[in-house]
Amino acid sequence: MTALTTPVGTDALADLARSSVSLITSLQHPSGAYPASPSFSAYQGYSWFRDGAFIADGVSSAGAVDSASRFFDWCQQMLVERRSRITEIVEAAAAGRPLPDDRMLPTRFTMEGAEGDDDWWDFQTDGYGTWVWAAVAHAERHGLDIARWRDGIALSVDYLAATWSRPCYDWWEEHREQVHVSTLLCIVAGLEAAVRSAAVDGDRADAARGAAAAARDLVTRRGVHDGHLSKWLGSTDVDGSLSAAIAPLGVIDATSPLGRASIRAVDDALDVEGGVHRFSFDTFYGGGQWPLLSCMLGLAYAAAGDRPAALARLQWAARTVTPEGYLPEQVPDHLLAPERRAEWVERWGGVATPLLWSHAMFVRLAVELGVITPEAAGEGA
Ligand code: BGC
């Protein structure tokens, strides 16, 4: 559902896209990690593979080649430093005695690469697929040698081939008892990219191919309801994250019946005047609308050839900008559970602002729509 509101001019869209790239690169830690949000209490000091992979993809698309490469170097370092743990996880799974969730890799790391002392909803597998997909897309986009990230990609493939079918927390760090369709499709994206790029070969490439095919098959059999992708296996709901499987991940063809039905279902169930909710029963900060999800739906629309619908989501996202030029994690214009907002403000303070992932998705869609053209972004490639 799209609204008729005053359009934001192309220059203003382009300015916001450019300042978003600068904001992201200026906040990147010397280690290469991107903070999720520099000032938000619960996220401060941490970098997520999920957020970071999409952030790197966004700035890569705008020409910030070195910044994205340094993030992938950091991901690889996180994996290489945990090589023996990955080996234990893989061997235990192969022996039919999979290790418990608390022995799996974490979801976020401190900027310096530690696991941090704060409790978190760890064990989420999506980011280990998404970063591989983003690194391969980055190498392809800029003609870089994927060999630079071969070790990290190999370790990710081993880890995912051993863990892909396990229930785990989703993108929203909820429902650890389910197998989430978005998570599976992020893993498929990573495994297929690893094979395509020839970063892995031999038995490892066979394992990647096998796991990706099995995950696709599982989605087809149990992750589709009424012709569209569903939130988790067996669910009848959708989730805003599903747009990403269509674009930017590109694992579901936007013009296929499944792609078209999924775009329609996300739009019908979760889009209110261009602003997209995470899912219909969301209560986090009252369940507002997320600019990054509007941009992902916009990317899916662009991939399906519907430019006006894509531009409307970019415009909606632009209207969420604060006077300081920051894009928030969510806005409270249309809340699904208004009575649940105050408890989060009390617990963690105001909504995370700026959220680098929001800025990155804005950039990614702006580039896709030609609002800005990729440029050298003031750095050496
Ligand atoms: C979101 C995650 C995100 C994290 C950091 C959480 O509130 O649910 O998807 O990775 O914030 O931005």
Side-chain angles (χ1 to χ4, degrees), residues 36 43 48 50-51 171-173 278 284 329 355 357:
Y43 305 169
W48 274 250
R50 171 179 43 256
D51 297 42
W171 274 34
W172 316 125
E173 326 202 270
R278 300 195 300 179
F284 183 55
E329 183 178 62
L355 188 83
W357 189 8

PDB file of all heavy atoms in Angstrom, residues 36 43 48 50-51 171-173 278 284 329 355 357, ligand 1:
ATOM      1  N   ALA A  36      26.942  -1.343  14.731  1.00  0.00           N
ATOM      2  CA  ALA A  36      25.533  -1.354  14.312  1.00  0.00           C
ATOM      3  C   ALA A  36      24.951   0.042  14.472  1.00  0.00           C
ATOM      4  O   ALA A  36      24.257   0.556  13.598  1.00  0.00           O
ATOM      5  CB  ALA A  36      24.749  -2.369  15.136  1.00  0.00           C
ATOM      6  N   TYR A  43      23.539  -1.749  21.613  1.00  0.00           N
ATOM      7  CA  TYR A  43      24.342  -2.184  20.459  1.00  0.00           C
ATOM      8  C   TYR A  43      25.776  -1.641  20.514  1.00  0.00           C
ATOM      9  O   TYR A  43      26.637  -2.103  19.765  1.00  0.00           O
ATOM     10  CB  TYR A  43      23.738  -1.707  19.124  1.00  0.00           C
ATOM     11  CG  TYR A  43      22.289  -2.076  18.852  1.00  0.00           C
ATOM     12  CD1 TYR A  43      21.612  -1.481  17.788  1.00  0.00           C
ATOM     13  CD2 TYR A  43      21.608  -3.021  19.606  1.00  0.00           C
ATOM     14  CE1 TYR A  43      20.293  -1.803  17.501  1.00  0.00           C
ATOM     15  CE2 TYR A  43      20.286  -3.345  19.336  1.00  0.00           C
ATOM     16  CZ  TYR A  43      19.624  -2.730  18.276  1.00  0.00           C
ATOM     17  OH  TYR A  43      18.322  -3.044  17.997  1.00  0.00           O
ATOM     18  N   TRP A  48      27.758  -6.703  14.016  1.00  0.00           N
ATOM     19  CA  TRP A  48      27.048  -7.945  13.640  1.00  0.00           C
ATOM     20  C   TRP A  48      27.480  -8.362  12.236  1.00  0.00           C
ATOM     21  O   TRP A  48      27.586  -7.507  11.347  1.00  0.00           O
ATOM     22  CB  TRP A  48      25.544  -7.686  13.568  1.00  0.00           C
ATOM     23  CG  TRP A  48      24.722  -7.781  14.798  1.00  0.00           C
ATOM     24  CD1 TRP A  48      23.802  -8.755  15.086  1.00  0.00           C
ATOM     25  CD2 TRP A  48      24.656  -6.857  15.902  1.00  0.00           C
ATOM     26  NE1 TRP A  48      23.190  -8.491  16.291  1.00  0.00           N
ATOM     27  CE2 TRP A  48      23.693  -7.334  16.813  1.00  0.00           C
ATOM     28  CE3 TRP A  48      25.344  -5.676  16.223  1.00  0.00           C
ATOM     29  CZ2 TRP A  48      23.381  -6.678  18.002  1.00  0.00           C
ATOM     30  CZ3 TRP A  48      25.043  -5.030  17.404  1.00  0.00           C
ATOM     31  CH2 TRP A  48      24.082  -5.527  18.278  1.00  0.00           C
ATOM     32  N   ARG A  50      25.459  -9.860  10.225  1.00  0.00           N
ATOM     33  CA  ARG A  50      24.280  -9.560   9.378  1.00  0.00           C
ATOM     34  C   ARG A  50      24.273  -8.097   8.963  1.00  0.00           C
ATOM     35  O   ARG A  50      24.296  -7.771   7.773  1.00  0.00           O
ATOM     36  CB  ARG A  50      22.993  -9.893  10.134  1.00  0.00           C
ATOM     37  CG  ARG A  50      21.717  -9.425   9.440  1.00  0.00           C
ATOM     38  CD  ARG A  50      20.435  -9.788  10.204  1.00  0.00           C
ATOM     39  NE  ARG A  50      20.533  -9.569  11.629  1.00  0.00           N
ATOM     40  CZ  ARG A  50      20.695 -10.515  12.548  1.00  0.00           C
ATOM     41  NH1 ARG A  50      20.759 -11.768  12.186  1.00  0.00           N
ATOM     42  NH2 ARG A  50      20.793 -10.227  13.836  1.00  0.00           N
ATOM     43  N   ASP A  51      24.237  -7.199   9.952  1.00  0.00           N
ATOM     44  CA  ASP A  51      24.214  -5.778   9.624  1.00  0.00           C
ATOM     45  C   ASP A  51      25.419  -5.429   8.749  1.00  0.00           C
ATOM     46  O   ASP A  51      25.290  -4.764   7.718  1.00  0.00           O
ATOM     47  CB  ASP A  51      24.322  -4.908  10.889  1.00  0.00           C
ATOM     48  CG  ASP A  51      23.173  -5.064  11.864  1.00  0.00           C
ATOM     49  OD1 ASP A  51      22.731  -6.206  12.086  1.00  0.00           O
ATOM     50  OD2 ASP A  51      22.734  -4.047  12.433  1.00  0.00           O
ATOM     51  N   TRP A 171      16.594 -13.121  12.096  1.00  0.00           N
ATOM     52  CA  TRP A 171      17.192 -11.784  11.898  1.00  0.00           C
ATOM     53  C   TRP A 171      16.886 -10.884  13.095  1.00  0.00           C
ATOM     54  O   TRP A 171      17.648  -9.979  13.394  1.00  0.00           O
ATOM     55  CB  TRP A 171      16.550 -11.120  10.679  1.00  0.00           C
ATOM     56  CG  TRP A 171      17.122 -11.424   9.346  1.00  0.00           C
ATOM     57  CD1 TRP A 171      17.674 -12.599   8.918  1.00  0.00           C
ATOM     58  CD2 TRP A 171      17.165 -10.515   8.231  1.00  0.00           C
ATOM     59  NE1 TRP A 171      18.040 -12.479   7.604  1.00  0.00           N
ATOM     60  CE2 TRP A 171      17.738 -11.216   7.161  1.00  0.00           C
ATOM     61  CE3 TRP A 171      16.765  -9.199   8.039  1.00  0.00           C
ATOM     62  CZ2 TRP A 171      17.928 -10.638   5.907  1.00  0.00           C
ATOM     63  CZ3 TRP A 171      16.950  -8.618   6.793  1.00  0.00           C
ATOM     64  CH2 TRP A 171      17.536  -9.327   5.741  1.00  0.00           C
ATOM     65  N   TRP A 172      15.731 -11.114  13.701  1.00  0.00           N
ATOM     66  CA  TRP A 172      15.274 -10.218  14.786  1.00  0.00           C
ATOM     67  C   TRP A 172      15.631 -10.776  16.143  1.00  0.00           C
ATOM     68  O   TRP A 172      15.126 -10.329  17.143  1.00  0.00           O
ATOM     69  CB  TRP A 172      13.767  -9.957  14.644  1.00  0.00           C
ATOM     70  CG  TRP A 172      13.374  -9.674  13.230  1.00  0.00           C
ATOM     71  CD1 TRP A 172      12.431 -10.328  12.499  1.00  0.00           C
ATOM     72  CD2 TRP A 172      13.925  -8.676  12.360  1.00  0.00           C
ATOM     73  NE1 TRP A 172      12.367  -9.814  11.236  1.00  0.00           N
ATOM     74  CE2 TRP A 172      13.280  -8.804  11.113  1.00  0.00           C
ATOM     75  CE3 TRP A 172      14.925  -7.695  12.495  1.00  0.00           C
ATOM     76  CZ2 TRP A 172      13.581  -7.983  10.019  1.00  0.00           C
ATOM     77  CZ3 TRP A 172      15.235  -6.894  11.401  1.00  0.00           C
ATOM     78  CH2 TRP A 172      14.564  -7.036  10.193  1.00  0.00           C
ATOM     79  N   GLU A 173      16.435 -11.811  16.151  1.00  0.00           N
ATOM     80  CA  GLU A 173      16.966 -12.413  17.369  1.00  0.00           C
ATOM     81  C   GLU A 173      15.822 -12.951  18.228  1.00  0.00           C
ATOM     82  O   GLU A 173      15.796 -12.794  19.431  1.00  0.00           O
ATOM     83  CB  GLU A 173      17.864 -11.383  18.084  1.00  0.00           C
ATOM     84  CG  GLU A 173      18.575 -10.518  17.031  1.00  0.00           C
ATOM     85  CD  GLU A 173      19.833  -9.811  17.443  1.00  0.00           C
ATOM     86  OE1 GLU A 173      19.769  -8.686  17.922  1.00  0.00           O
ATOM     87  OE2 GLU A 173      20.895 -10.407  17.261  1.00  0.00           O
ATOM     88  N   ARG A 278       8.335  -5.285  10.554  1.00  0.00           N
ATOM     89  CA  ARG A 278       9.104  -6.539  10.529  1.00  0.00           C
ATOM     90  C   ARG A 278       8.173  -7.746  10.347  1.00  0.00           C
ATOM     91  O   ARG A 278       8.412  -8.613   9.517  1.00  0.00           O
ATOM     92  CB  ARG A 278       9.908  -6.710  11.819  1.00  0.00           C
ATOM     93  CG  ARG A 278      10.905  -5.574  12.044  1.00  0.00           C
ATOM     94  CD  ARG A 278      11.924  -5.916  13.099  1.00  0.00           C
ATOM     95  NE  ARG A 278      11.315  -6.189  14.401  1.00  0.00           N
ATOM     96  CZ  ARG A 278      11.995  -6.535  15.486  1.00  0.00           C
ATOM     97  NH1 ARG A 278      13.315  -6.668  15.413  1.00  0.00           N
ATOM     98  NH2 ARG A 278      11.391  -6.736  16.634  1.00  0.00           N
ATOM     99  N   PHE A 284       8.445  -4.937  19.514  1.00  0.00           N
ATOM    100  CA  PHE A 284       9.697  -4.237  19.839  1.00  0.00           C
ATOM    101  C   PHE A 284       9.520  -2.736  19.579  1.00  0.00           C
ATOM    102  O   PHE A 284       9.192  -2.343  18.463  1.00  0.00           O
ATOM    103  CB  PHE A 284      10.808  -4.833  18.967  1.00  0.00           C
ATOM    104  CG  PHE A 284      12.197  -4.291  19.191  1.00  0.00           C
ATOM    105  CD1 PHE A 284      12.790  -4.296  20.443  1.00  0.00           C
ATOM    106  CD2 PHE A 284      12.933  -3.800  18.117  1.00  0.00           C
ATOM    107  CE1 PHE A 284      14.091  -3.824  20.629  1.00  0.00           C
ATOM    108  CE2 PHE A 284      14.228  -3.333  18.280  1.00  0.00           C
ATOM    109  CZ  PHE A 284      14.810  -3.345  19.550  1.00  0.00           C
ATOM    110  N   GLU A 329      16.470   3.145  13.261  1.00  0.00           N
ATOM    111  CA  GLU A 329      16.136   1.728  13.069  1.00  0.00           C
ATOM    112  C   GLU A 329      14.659   1.586  12.712  1.00  0.00           C
ATOM    113  O   GLU A 329      14.288   0.810  11.846  1.00  0.00           O
ATOM    114  CB  GLU A 329      16.441   0.964  14.358  1.00  0.00           C
ATOM    115  CG  GLU A 329      16.212  -0.520  14.289  1.00  0.00           C
ATOM    116  CD  GLU A 329      16.590  -1.203  15.601  1.00  0.00           C
ATOM    117  OE1 GLU A 329      15.974  -0.897  16.648  1.00  0.00           O
ATOM    118  OE2 GLU A 329      17.508  -2.049  15.573  1.00  0.00           O
ATOM    119  N   LEU A 355      21.157   4.152  12.649  1.00  0.00           N
ATOM    120  CA  LEU A 355      21.415   2.724  12.459  1.00  0.00           C
ATOM    121  C   LEU A 355      22.129   2.604  11.109  1.00  0.00           C
ATOM    122  O   LEU A 355      21.562   2.982  10.077  1.00  0.00           O
ATOM    123  CB  LEU A 355      20.111   1.916  12.449  1.00  0.00           C
ATOM    124  CG  LEU A 355      20.373   0.398  12.441  1.00  0.00           C
ATOM    125  CD1 LEU A 355      20.637  -0.114  13.871  1.00  0.00           C
ATOM    126  CD2 LEU A 355      19.213  -0.384  11.830  1.00  0.00           C
ATOM    127  N   TRP A 357      22.846   0.162   9.268  1.00  0.00           N
ATOM    128  CA  TRP A 357      22.186  -0.736   8.305  1.00  0.00           C
ATOM    129  C   TRP A 357      21.078   0.020   7.554  1.00  0.00           C
ATOM    130  O   TRP A 357      20.887  -0.176   6.348  1.00  0.00           O
ATOM    131  CB  TRP A 357      21.647  -1.943   9.074  1.00  0.00           C
ATOM    132  CG  TRP A 357      21.117  -3.091   8.286  1.00  0.00           C
ATOM    133  CD1 TRP A 357      21.178  -3.287   6.937  1.00  0.00           C
ATOM    134  CD2 TRP A 357      20.439  -4.232   8.827  1.00  0.00           C
ATOM    135  NE1 TRP A 357      20.561  -4.477   6.609  1.00  0.00           N
ATOM    136  CE2 TRP A 357      20.114  -5.077   7.749  1.00  0.00           C
ATOM    137  CE3 TRP A 357      20.075  -4.630  10.117  1.00  0.00           C
ATOM    138  CZ2 TRP A 357      19.426  -6.288   7.922  1.00  0.00           C
ATOM    139  CZ3 TRP A 357      19.406  -5.837  10.286  1.00  0.00           C
ATOM    140  CH2 TRP A 357      19.090  -6.652   9.210  1.00  0.00           C
TER     141      TRP A 357
HETATM  142  C1  BGC B   1      17.828  -6.422  15.316  1.00  0.00           C
HETATM  143  C2  BGC B   1      18.889  -7.182  14.571  1.00  0.00           C
HETATM  144  C3  BGC B   1      20.126  -6.339  14.369  1.00  0.00           C
HETATM  145  C4  BGC B   1      20.589  -5.703  15.673  1.00  0.00           C
HETATM  146  C5  BGC B   1      21.684  -4.683  15.436  1.00  0.00           C
HETATM  147  C6  BGC B   1      18.426  -5.878  16.610  1.00  0.00           C
HETATM  148  O1  BGC B   1      17.448  -5.154  17.300  1.00  0.00           O
HETATM  149  O2  BGC B   1      16.751  -7.279  15.636  1.00  0.00           O
HETATM  150  O3  BGC B   1      18.412  -7.567  13.307  1.00  0.00           O
HETATM  151  O4  BGC B   1      21.132  -7.146  13.850  1.00  0.00           O
HETATM  152  O5  BGC B   1      19.511  -5.043  16.278  1.00  0.00           O
HETATM  153  O6  BGC B   1      21.287  -3.681  14.538  1.00  0.00           O
END
